Amino acid sequence: GAWLKRATDFVCSAVGLLILSPLFALISIAIKFSSPGPIFYRQSRMGLDGETFDMLKFRSMRMNAEQESGPVWAKAGDDRRTWLGSLLRSTSLDELPQLWNVVKGEMSLVGPRPERPVFVQDFRTKIPHYMLRHKVKAGLTGWAQVNGWRGNTSLEKRIECDLYYIRHWSYFFDWKIIFLTVWRGFIHTNAY
């Protein structure tokens, strides 16, 4: 089913980019007028087989946000966010440019969410079987996310969900996760 998954990823994300292009334009204009800096933010993430790629997001934080702190996870009330960035992150709209990562084949619509390599180096020594999540492509959404394990929540529970997804993958399981993502909405209390 790998070819079917890839074909679905490509067609759905390409169509999504086309349909959402007016929204992309509005968000881009809003970012440009709300704070100095680029519209898009590229961040190194680890995907399939431990390969890194540049994941795209709409920029939601001020420029040089980690200059003083170094790499840190976002948290509730994070003062690095712009006012518009807070809205984009709470609604998950900042993630939409990752449809381009899906078109390019770096990500899938469904799979374990990709993490930054600096955090992976830490997690792999603390969480059993953590690296097994890199046996499939990283996803825009995943089983962990639709079950509430996103943001600053239990990494152990997230890995359980990721491994469950990998062991039980089917084409219809992917569609179930996509449906649940849309049904439960993109707004989440841990999206900050």
Side-chain angles (χ1 to χ4, degrees):
W3 65 271
L4 186 58
K5 180 177 174 69
R6 174 62 189 140
T8 302
D9 283 345
F10 182 83
V11 171
C12 290
S13 54
V15 170
L17 284 169
L18 187 63
I19 292 172
L20 295 171
S21 57
L23 179 60
F24 271 63
L26 286 173
I27 293 173
S28 298
I29 292 167
I31 291 171
K32 206 64 186 166
F33 282 100
S34 67
S35 64
I39 293 168
F40 297 104
Y41 178 67
R42 288 173 171 78
Q43 191 175 67
S44 180
R45 296 289 178 113
M46 190 174 287
L48 179 64
D49 294 329
E51 294 292 321
T52 58
F53 65 96
D54 287 336
M55 189 179 79
L56 280 176
K57 299 180 88 169
F58 281 120
R59 184 176 57 82
S60 59
M61 295 194 177
R62 54 185 164 76
M63 292 295 296
N64 304 316
E66 292 184 332
Q67 190 170 8
E68 293 177 12
S69 65
V72 291
W73 263 13
K75 58 184 184 300
D78 202 317
D79 63 0
R80 298 173 301 160
R81 298 173 302 176
T82 63
W83 68 268
L84 178 61
S86 295
L87 174 64
L88 293 176
R89 292 175 78 92
S90 66
T91 56
S92 301
L93 290 174
D94 63 318
E95 311 282 1
L96 288 179
Q98 289 158 44
L99 288 170
W100 180 244
N101 291 111
V102 177
V103 167
K104 290 170 63 180
E106 297 166 331
M107 291 177 65
S108 179
L109 289 173
V110 179
R113 286 293 293 159
E115 193 50 80
R116 296 169 71 176
V118 65
F119 295 141
V120 171
Q121 295 309 315
D122 182 39
F123 299 156
R124 71 187 303 169
T125 62
K126 296 178 179 175
I127 303 168
H129 313 299
Y130 182 84
M131 294 305 288
L132 291 176
R133 67 196 306 272
H134 297 110
K135 293 297 179 186
V136 296
K137 280 185 185 176
L140 192 60
T141 186
W143 189 235
Q145 284 65 44
V146 298
N147 282 287
W149 303 110
R150 63 177 290 187
N152 194 11
T153 55
S154 170
L155 283 170
E156 289 78 9
K157 291 291 186 184
R158 197 176 311 174
I159 296 305
E160 281 180 29
C161 287
D162 289 343
L163 297 182
Y164 180 90
Y165 168 76
I166 293 169
R167 285 194 302 268
H168 297 89
W169 180 85
S170 73
Y171 185 67
F172 296 104
F173 191 19
D174 272 4
W175 278 107
K176 176 180 179 178
I177 293 169
I178 291 169
F179 173 77
L180 288 172
T181 300
V182 174
W183 178 258
R184 294 179 180 172
F186 299 96
I187 298 173
H188 192 277
T189 54
N190 293 319
Y192 39 73

